[in-house]
Amino acid sequence: MYRIDGDVFDCFQAAVTVQLLKLKIDPMYIWASLEFGIEKENDIYQIVNYRSKFEERMESLFSVQIKYTTSEKCGEEFLHGIVAGDIVRVDTFHLPYCILFNREHSGHYINIIKEEQDRYYIVDKYFSFEGYVTREEFKSILEAPINSKYFTNCTKLTLAKNSDLVYVPLTIVERSLLQYIDGNFSTHMSKLKLLIKQKEIDLGDVYAALKYTSNNRYHFRIFVEKYFCETTVLHKKIRETEVNWRTLANFILLLNNDKNSVQLIENINQRIDRIINYEFETKKLLKIVLNQKGEESL
């Protein structure tokens, strides 16, 4: 059973994973990725959003495309167009079962599992909810953020598989290794030290990005443990890297409450240096795995 919850996925990933399983695609192929990057735009350093390459990876690995449908109003045409298999964007502020209900606005994604005449059966793995909502309740959930001008439109996503093309597990490891090389990892990590000092940056967003990075180390480890079960040293090293990324994310969250803490910034910089060492050790072990598998195939 593949683990799907808010501790190892964000809501978008969780919703996509539910649909990947329905398409009989192992989600580990999609999420087993080690990319990490920081770019400078308008003199501000920002962590690259994983979704910038996500759809490209989905299509290249499995010929899966994501189709977006939007509407400025939640009319009957849009509502009746929502069917089982769709992923729908909602606002947590108007989601009755959510802990953020009537407390905090946030874009969120849920799965439509079954459509009936007057209700929908929905699944929200991020908030561990499964159950029915009436058509009227659902319409209200979609309309409210537009009326409050939090969203400018209603949005739904559909995943479509265009072929049965599947890459072998070794290809995933090769691609991750290329991401290390092409991504100029040490340079990006040095930029991270500069990024946290910028007053223009919301450290809450940085925390979320670093948590995601920790999560993709988790997914990569699960992938390697399944398909390369004999490489226990690599498993352990990825686990250590995963924990250090999560610790770094937590440090950033603390810094958000005390941005002038010299000690905390020093701890963060030391943690970044530690992660650089762990990541390069992981890279070496990945190369060994590739060489061994290459020799076995001869």
Side-chain angles (χ1 to χ4, degrees):
M1 182 64 68
Y2 196 77
R3 177 184 176 187
I4 314 174
D5 59 54
D7 195 44
V8 295
F9 281 123
D10 66 24
C11 61
F12 180 80
Q13 292 175 302
V16 167
T17 298
V18 169
Q19 290 309 118
L20 288 174
L21 291 171
K22 290 186 178 298
L23 292 173
K24 301 190 184 317
I25 294 175
D26 187 338
M28 280 189 279
Y29 278 87
I30 301 298
W31 305 122
S33 172
L34 296 179
E35 77 263 25
F36 176 81
I38 294 177
E39 58 187 19
K40 194 173 185 179
E41 186 175 341
N42 298 325
D43 292 325
I44 299 175
Y45 289 108
Q46 300 179 54
I47 295 178
V48 179
N49 190 315
Y50 74 87
R51 293 185 197 172
S52 63
K53 296 181 180 179
F54 164 71
E55 292 182 32
E56 176 187 325
R57 188 162 64 248
M58 288 266 286
E59 188 168 359
S60 65
L61 289 176
F62 290 102
S63 293
V64 172
Q65 291 183 318
I66 299 181
K67 178 185 177 183
Y68 292 83
T69 302
T70 63
S71 174
E72 291 182 1
K73 296 181 180 179
C74 181
E76 289 301 313
E77 183 178 352
F78 183 82
L79 200 62
H80 283 285
I82 296 174
V83 297
D86 285 345
I87 297 170
V88 180
R89 186 190 63 179
V90 296
D91 177 5
T92 53
F93 188 88
H94 302 287
L95 210 53
Y97 62 80
C98 175
I99 58 173
L100 301 179
F101 180 59
N102 283 340
R103 288 176 48 205
E104 185 177 320
H105 290 281
S106 177
H108 188 65
Y109 294 89
I110 60 176
N111 297 91
I112 307 299
I113 302 301
K114 191 188 326 182
E115 177 207 8
E116 298 181 1
Q117 185 174 358
D118 59 351
R119 61 181 184 171
Y120 297 94
Y121 189 81
I122 68 172
V123 164
D124 186 338
K125 289 291 187 180
Y126 188 85
F127 286 120
S128 303
F129 174 83
E130 294 190 25
Y132 283 100
V133 294
T134 67
R135 187 175 290 272
E136 285 304 310
E137 288 172 333
F138 196 59
K139 183 178 181 180
S140 176
I141 289 171
L142 294 180
E143 282 183 332
I146 294 179
N147 293 338
S148 68
K149 302 190 184 313
Y150 183 70
F151 290 154
T152 58
N153 58 46
C154 294
T155 300
K156 73 167 188 170
L157 296 66
T158 305
L159 271 63
K161 186 178 180 182
N162 300 319
S163 79
D164 293 325
L165 174 68
V166 177
Y167 280 96
V168 296
L170 196 59
T171 303
I172 309 299
V173 177
E174 290 171 343
R175 287 190 172 209
S176 288
L177 190 57
L178 283 173
Q179 286 163 357
Y180 270 125
I181 297 170
D182 296 341
N184 203 354
F185 184 74
S186 292
T187 301
H188 286 298
M189 293 302 284
S190 296
K191 290 178 181 177
L192 182 58
K193 293 180 180 180
L194 299 175
L195 183 151
I196 62 173
K197 296 179 181 178
Q198 297 174 136
K199 294 182 180 179
E200 304 91 340
I201 290 292
D202 182 350
L203 292 181
D205 291 340
V206 177
Y207 162 78
L210 294 176
K211 182 183 176 185
Y212 163 75
T213 304
S214 170
N215 287 346
N216 72 16
R217 267 61 184 166
Y218 163 82
H219 296 298
F220 190 78
R221 175 172 59 84
I222 298 301
F223 173 82
V224 170
E225 287 175 354
K226 179 177 180 179
Y227 293 106
F228 304 94
C229 55
E230 71 281 4
T231 56
T232 54
V233 176
L234 178 58
H235 305 167
K236 182 179 179 182
K237 186 57 63 180
I238 299 172
R239 170 59 180 164
E240 291 172 342
T241 307
E242 170 196 338
V243 170
N244 274 276
W245 277 106
R246 182 62 64 95
T247 303
L248 176 61
N250 291 336
F251 279 168
I252 296 294
L253 201 58
L254 291 173
L255 186 63
N256 202 28
N257 297 321
D258 186 8
K259 293 186 179 180
N260 296 316
S261 173
V262 175
Q263 183 61 54
L264 193 51
I265 291 175
E266 183 179 337
N267 290 342
I268 288 171
N269 288 337
Q270 289 175 354
R271 186 66 57 167
I272 289 172
D273 291 337
R274 184 182 301 180
I275 288 174
I276 292 173
N277 291 331
Y278 275 122
E279 291 283 10
F280 275 105
E281 288 172 9
T282 301
K283 176 181 173 181
K284 290 178 183 177
L285 291 171
L286 280 172
K287 283 187 173 181
I288 292 172
V289 169
L290 287 174
N291 290 334
Q292 289 176 340
K293 293 297 179 181
E295 292 173 358
E296 289 174 8
S297 63
L298 293 177

